[in-house]
């Protein structure tokens, strides 16, 4: 028996809104079957659930949804896994470099904040020492 999920099941499991899941569907990341009157009910497969899990993991890594889709789609195709893994490594390397750049920028900003704190403390100490004591 095949396992299936409703949009509410997936929303609850992954702590998402149903709107977010429909957006992922619009992006082509999920492809649920339709049932009920006029195909109003979405029926998600185990494959859709796995794709949603991978999409959310890709988002946490900082990948765009189009990058996530490209990589996830590669795993659906019967192509050589070496090509898929190289592509994934290329995407991860780009994102790692971006994050490292952001981290370097944050380190510079943090050092500037520390210098300003040090200067403000010094000025405060000087101003307090000039105040008459009662």
């Amino acid at each position: 028996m095949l396992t299936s999920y409703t949009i509410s099941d997936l929303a609850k499991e992954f702590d998402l809104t149903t709107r977010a899941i429909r957006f992922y569907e619009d992006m082509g990341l999920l492809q649920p079957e339709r049932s009920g009157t006029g195909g109003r009910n979405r029926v998600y497969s185990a494959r859709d659930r796995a794709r949603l899990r991978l999409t959310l993991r890709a988002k946490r890594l900082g990948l765009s949804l189009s990058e996530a889709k490209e990589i996830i789609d590669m795993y659906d195709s019967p192509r050589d896994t070496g090509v898929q893994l190289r592509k994934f490594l290329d995407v991860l390397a780009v994102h790692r470099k971006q994050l490292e750049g952001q981290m370097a920028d944050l380190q510079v900003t943090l050092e500037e904040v520390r210098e300003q704190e040090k200067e403000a403390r010094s000025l405060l100490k000087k101003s307090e020492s000039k105040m008459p004591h009662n």
Side-chain angles (χ1 to χ4, degrees):
M1 180 173 134
L2 293 176
T3 304
S4 63
Y5 306 89
T6 66
I7 194 167
S8 298
D9 293 337
L10 293 180
K12 185 176 180 180
E13 178 179 353
F14 292 102
D15 194 27
L16 296 169
T17 63
T18 55
R19 184 177 182 184
I21 294 173
R22 286 190 301 271
F23 178 73
Y24 294 145
E25 183 182 334
D26 291 343
M27 294 291 295
L29 288 156
L30 306 173
Q31 298 161 342
E33 297 290 324
R34 298 294 188 138
S35 69
T37 308
R40 289 179 43 109
N41 299 328
R42 292 168 167 85
V43 180
Y44 295 90
S45 65
R47 176 183 173 274
D48 287 314
R49 183 177 170 274
R51 287 176 65 92
L52 180 56
R53 181 181 302 263
L54 290 171
T55 298
L56 297 174
R57 184 177 299 157
K59 270 187 65 178
R60 281 193 306 275
L61 290 172
L63 277 64
S64 70
L65 288 180
S66 60
E67 289 170 321
K69 182 179 181 332
E70 184 180 345
I71 290 167
I72 293 167
D73 286 347
M74 278 198 282
Y75 285 96
D76 276 348
S77 71
R79 291 189 281 170
D80 174 27
T81 55
V83 172
Q84 296 163 350
L85 290 172
R86 279 190 284 284
K87 171 64 177 168
F88 186 51
L89 285 169
D90 289 346
V91 169
L92 287 176
V94 167
H95 285 285
R96 181 180 36 79
K97 286 178 183 174
Q98 288 172 342
L99 289 171
E100 288 169 349
Q102 291 171 346
M103 187 180 286
D105 291 345
L106 283 171
Q107 291 291 355
V108 168
T109 303
L110 245 162
E111 193 53 42
E112 289 172 1
V113 167
R114 287 185 185 115
E115 287 299 318
Q116 291 298 315
E117 285 176 326
K118 184 178 174 183
E119 188 175 325
R121 282 191 188 96
S122 175
L123 290 170
L124 181 62
K125 190 174 184 179
K126 285 179 187 175
S127 83
E128 288 173 343
S129 67
K130 291 181 183 178
M131 296 179 120
H133 297 292
N134 291 334

